[in-house]
Amino acid sequence: MSKTPDSGKTEDDEPSTVEQYLVKDPERFALNMARMIEQAGKAASAWAEPRERGEVRDHVAEPVVDMVKTFSKLSEYWLADPQRALEAQTRLFAGYMTVWANAIQRVSPNAEGTDDAVKPERGDKRFQDPEWGRNAFFDFLKQAYLVTSRWASELVEHAEGLDEHTRHKASFYVKQVSNAISPSNFILTNPELFRETVASNGENLVRGMKMLAEDIAAGKGDLKLRQADYSPFEIGRNIATTPGKVVGRSDVAEIIQYDPATETVLKRPLLICPPWINKFYILDLNPQKSFIRWAIEQGHTVFVISWINPDERHGAKGWEAYIREGLQYGLDTIEEATGERDVNAIGYCVGGTLLAAALALMAQEGDDRIKSATFFTTQVDFTYAGDLKVFVDEEQVAAVEKSMNEKGYLDGTKMATAFNMLRSGDLIWPYVVNNYMRGKDPLPFDLLYWNADSTRMAAANHSFYLRNCYLENNLSRGKMELAGHTVSLGDITIPVYNLASREDHIAPALSVFLGSKYFGGKVDYVMAGSGHIAGVVNPPASGKYQYWTGGKPEGDFGQWIAKAAEHPGSWWPHWQSWIEAKDNTRVPARKPGNHMKTLGDAPGSYVKVRV
């Protein structure tokens, strides 16, 4: 922003000019429109051909039907009382009238500054271009959109008599629709896109349609939205590079042991159980961000479970198989590799839920090899399970099961889409605009490379998870059945470090807090700043965020936060002190392969199987 000569105004205060929205070279623009239509035809073919061959079946109708049913229940409340419906319509009409009055005032000869009828929420990046404020047309579109979307959200918020699940779904669907219809998503209603299209004579749209065709082809008939330039990254070369060896391999997991970085190490090895919904290398993106490398540098002998990317052969592998052939197989491998039975364990997200269920089962079976458990953003009680719960009710689970049973697994793209929808304003629409309308390649980003490296879900495993956790909440209720046992979290009496993250939308901090009470032993609840990923992957050297510690995780969550002590930076050193307080015995460092044959270099072969 700079001042114009001989005036006290900034460039942002200058009136909008029509010239910037006029096509300068109509012939070239028309040619590019023809090229765009040609590329759009290729995109349509990439979408249609797999369907014509029967390789792809559309399931779009199922979520749309659920959305319509949800909105119908919402409408019933507002239309059941004519007075209530009239009041709701009046609020919307009043908002529009304010927008209209502002627009009239702005275009009048004696216009003075006017306040917007409604302002974007803090952090909303969609309306940063100056033309959204100084051009009367775009300002009108922006305010009308914000008034409408805010009104729709309030309809959900103030609807009485809705059960919480329906309210949650209605709020989620309203947000999805609002994000989708934003004027920032369309050429003619986004000043920045409009200018770029005119300035390039439509070449941006040609590039965008070409990228769209490529992304549909890459998704084999479904759109595989690219969120980053993935070409610079290669697993084992500049992603997941911490040195180590594969020391075990089962049908569902490879066990990786990492090379030591210290002369002595903690006597208790560390076993990490990551989620199978994503790949383990979120904990080993690069040397600067790697929790695995940092733990090794603190003196841990680190073992990691790398889950198989399942196919039709693994359809019948359920939670018992993942416990026996994953977690307990990992413990067996550690004992063979190090001679140690006592182990510290970490579980991340659903990997933590599996670890908790396994510990409850192992307690009944007399397997006491795990001496401490750390949970990263893990839910064991699903009463307040966050936005993913939107996708879980009997009808939706039955539909997912039907889809999975056709192949024995759930396509990885389905889970990736669900996770992206949780933050569609950040993970979907900005990339739609950037890629397919601006025609610009996204930038390289290792985190988004990992996010796009999706995994399939084995049918039996995923069905068990959806029903026993999200749908029936059997784990915290003491009704989960595994290997002929009805397991109880109360049987877990080992020390627990229970990490939540304050802005987590997948495993909300409240949900993790409430889950703490079900364990039978002492639980240290710690809340990190940021979200599900950044709150966990926060190396001390970065100096980012903070974490909170306090008393026992009991009582009111808000009161716990109010009394908790806030600490700057990463929680990693706090966890290390917690681990060492349990057992700080040190032994000479252990190298992979000293006591057993190795099966290849880290990060192994399972992690390299792509969807």
Side-chain angles (χ1 to χ4, degrees):
M1 185 182 300
S2 61
K3 291 187 176 181
T4 55
D6 303 319
S7 80
K9 293 183 178 181
T10 66
E11 289 178 352
D12 285 0
D13 295 325
E14 289 301 304
S16 178
T17 59
V18 176
E19 286 77 8
Q20 61 186 322
Y21 300 111
L22 298 180
V23 174
K24 307 297 189 299
D25 189 341
E27 185 176 343
R28 186 178 173 192
F29 187 86
L31 176 62
N32 281 330
M33 289 302 98
R35 294 172 59 203
M36 181 198 73
I37 292 171
E38 180 184 0
Q39 293 296 333
K42 293 179 180 179
S45 296
W47 181 87
E49 288 175 2
R51 287 161 174 80
E52 292 172 353
R53 294 193 296 265
E55 297 171 359
V56 173
R57 290 181 60 186
D58 283 316
H59 299 281
V60 175
E62 294 159 2
V64 171
V65 167
D66 185 70
M67 183 174 69
V68 171
K69 287 180 178 178
T70 302
F71 284 162
S72 295
K73 293 178 181 179
L74 179 65
S75 299
E76 286 175 10
Y77 169 78
W78 289 103
L79 296 178
D81 184 342
Q83 178 67 27
R84 191 160 53 207
L86 180 61
E87 290 175 356
Q89 292 172 2
T90 301
R91 285 197 300 273
L92 179 61
F93 182 71
Y96 286 158
M97 289 302 296
T98 303
V99 173
W100 182 255
N102 286 352
I104 294 297
Q105 186 174 348
R106 290 202 56 178
V107 298
S108 65
N110 300 318
E112 296 181 1
T114 58
D115 290 331
D116 288 349
V118 60
K119 295 183 182 295
E121 293 183 3
R122 184 179 179 183
D124 190 339
K125 300 177 181 178
R126 295 174 295 178
F127 305 107
Q128 293 181 331
D129 189 277
E131 287 285 279
W132 287 112
R134 68 187 178 193
N135 183 294
F137 172 71
F138 293 115
D139 182 62
F140 178 83
L141 289 176
K142 176 192 71 176
Q143 291 194 58
Y145 163 73
L146 291 173
V147 165
T148 306
S149 57
R150 189 75 52 85
W151 173 80
S153 296
E154 289 173 353
L155 286 185
V156 178
E157 183 181 346
H158 298 143
E160 299 175 2
L162 288 182
D163 63 272
E164 284 306 308
H165 183 57
T166 300
R167 187 187 303 278
H168 192 179
K169 289 202 296 182
S171 178
F172 178 81
Y173 288 139
V174 164
K175 186 176 182 180
Q176 299 308 310
V177 173
S178 295
N179 286 340
I181 66 173
S182 170
S184 60
N185 295 336
F186 305 98
I187 298 290
L188 298 179
T189 56
N190 181 328
E192 188 175 6
L193 290 176
F194 204 149
R195 289 198 307 273
E196 288 187 17
T197 302
V198 169
S200 70
N201 289 298
E203 289 184 3
N204 57 315
L205 300 182
V206 179
R207 295 192 303 269
M209 284 300 103
K210 183 175 183 294
M211 292 173 66
L212 178 63
E214 292 171 351
D215 290 355
I216 294 175
K220 299 178 181 178
D222 290 323
L223 177 62
K224 189 172 183 179
L225 180 66
R226 69 180 88 179
Q227 298 170 319
D229 177 6
Y230 308 133
S231 60
F233 303 109
E234 182 183 344
I235 296 174
R237 181 177 65 84
N238 56 4
I239 292 276
T241 59
T242 300
K245 299 289 183 181
V246 177
V247 293
R249 181 179 294 126
S250 71
D251 281 348
V252 302
E254 286 184 333
I255 309 300
I256 301 170
Q257 180 183 358
Y258 288 92
D259 294 345
T262 54
E263 291 186 3
T264 62
V265 294
L266 290 167
K267 189 172 187 292
R268 288 184 186 174
L270 176 66
L271 175 63
I272 299 177
C273 179
W276 53 85
I277 291 174
N278 299 106
K279 295 182 179 178
F280 81 88
Y281 65 87
I282 186 59
L283 297 174
D284 192 28
L285 276 177
N286 61 46
Q288 291 72 42
K289 299 177 185 175
S290 175
F291 176 82
I292 290 172
R293 185 181 292 263
W294 181 86
I296 292 166
E297 292 169 351
Q298 310 313 303
H300 291 275
T301 305
V302 177
F303 292 79
V304 172
I305 298 171
S306 175
W307 297 108
I308 190 76
N309 201 337
D311 54 36
E312 59 275 358
R313 298 170 299 171
H314 305 92
K317 297 283 188 181
W319 270 39
E320 184 180 349
Y322 272 62
I323 290 172
R324 303 301 192 199
E325 301 173 39
L327 265 166
Q328 288 186 308
Y329 176 67
L331 295 173
D332 295 340
T333 304
I334 288 174
E335 189 171 355
E336 183 179 354
T338 67
E340 297 293 338
R341 282 185 54 82
D342 293 356
V343 173
N344 296 315
I346 291 175
Y348 192 171
C349 188
V350 66
T353 310
L354 181 78
L355 174 61
L359 285 168
L361 174 63
M362 291 162 63
Q364 292 195 26
E365 294 181 337
D367 186 342
D368 62 352
R369 286 178 288 180
I370 295 177
K371 298 301 182 183
S372 78
T374 297
F375 297 106
F376 294 168
T377 58
T378 293
Q379 296 181 103
V380 295
D381 176 73
F382 288 75
T383 304
Y384 302 99
D387 284 344
L388 277 176
K389 204 169 183 179
V390 166
F391 302 109
V392 184
D393 52 39
E394 182 57 44
E395 289 184 10
Q396 293 186 87
V397 170
V400 169
E401 289 173 334
K402 181 181 178 181
S403 175
M404 289 192 297
N405 290 336
E406 294 174 1
K407 297 180 179 179
Y409 59 85
L410 181 70
D411 285 324
T413 53
K414 298 292 190 287
M415 283 302 301
T417 299
F419 278 110
N420 286 340
M421 285 179 67
L422 298 183
R423 294 174 56 203
S424 61
D426 296 321
L427 296 177
I428 296 180
W429 294 110
Y431 297 101
V432 169
V433 170
N434 181 78
N435 300 357
Y436 310 134
M437 297 185 193
R438 302 181 71 188
K440 293 187 177 181
D441 288 313
L443 298 173
F445 190 11
D446 52 9
L447 178 60
L448 289 177
Y449 172 88
W450 166 83
N451 188 58
D453 190 7
S454 54
T455 59
R456 295 178 286 261
M457 306 291 115
N461 178 317
H462 200 51
S463 177
F464 186 93
Y465 177 50
L466 292 178
R467 288 195 172 278
N468 280 271
C469 295
Y470 277 96
L471 195 58
E472 300 171 4
N473 204 13
N474 286 333
L475 184 56
S476 65
R477 294 169 62 217
K479 293 187 176 183
M480 180 180 283
E481 294 184 3
L482 284 167
H485 296 268
T486 302
V487 299
S488 169
L489 294 173
D491 292 335
I492 302 173
T493 57
I494 60 174
V496 167
Y497 188 99
N498 207 13
L499 178 79
S501 53
R502 187 166 193 172
E503 299 168 20
D504 197 338
H505 57 286
I506 295 173
L510 170 63
S511 182
V512 177
F513 177 85
L514 295 177
S516 300
K517 69 182 180 182
Y518 293 99
F519 294 105
K522 186 177 186 298
V523 177
D524 287 280
Y525 176 84
V526 176
M527 185 174 69
S530 196
H532 194 71
I533 301 300
V536 174
V537 184
N538 182 26
S542 69
K544 296 173 66 176
Y545 309 127
Q546 68 282 90
Y547 65 96
W548 290 264
T549 59
K552 291 182 179 180
E554 57 188 22
D556 181 77
F557 181 50
Q559 292 181 2
W560 185 92
I561 293 177
K563 296 178 181 178
E566 181 177 344
H567 312 275
S570 173
W571 55 270
W572 292 9
H574 180 266
W575 170 81
Q576 178 66 18
S577 297
W578 183 88
I579 284 287
E580 292 181 350
K582 309 308 173 194
D583 188 343
N584 195 26
T585 307
R586 301 265 170 164
V587 297
R590 311 151 171 135
K591 294 183 178 180
N594 276 1
H595 302 288
M596 61 195 305
K597 182 181 178 181
T598 61
L599 304 175
D601 292 330
S605 59
Y606 281 5
V607 74
K608 295 179 180 179
V609 176
R610 298 183 68 87
V611 171

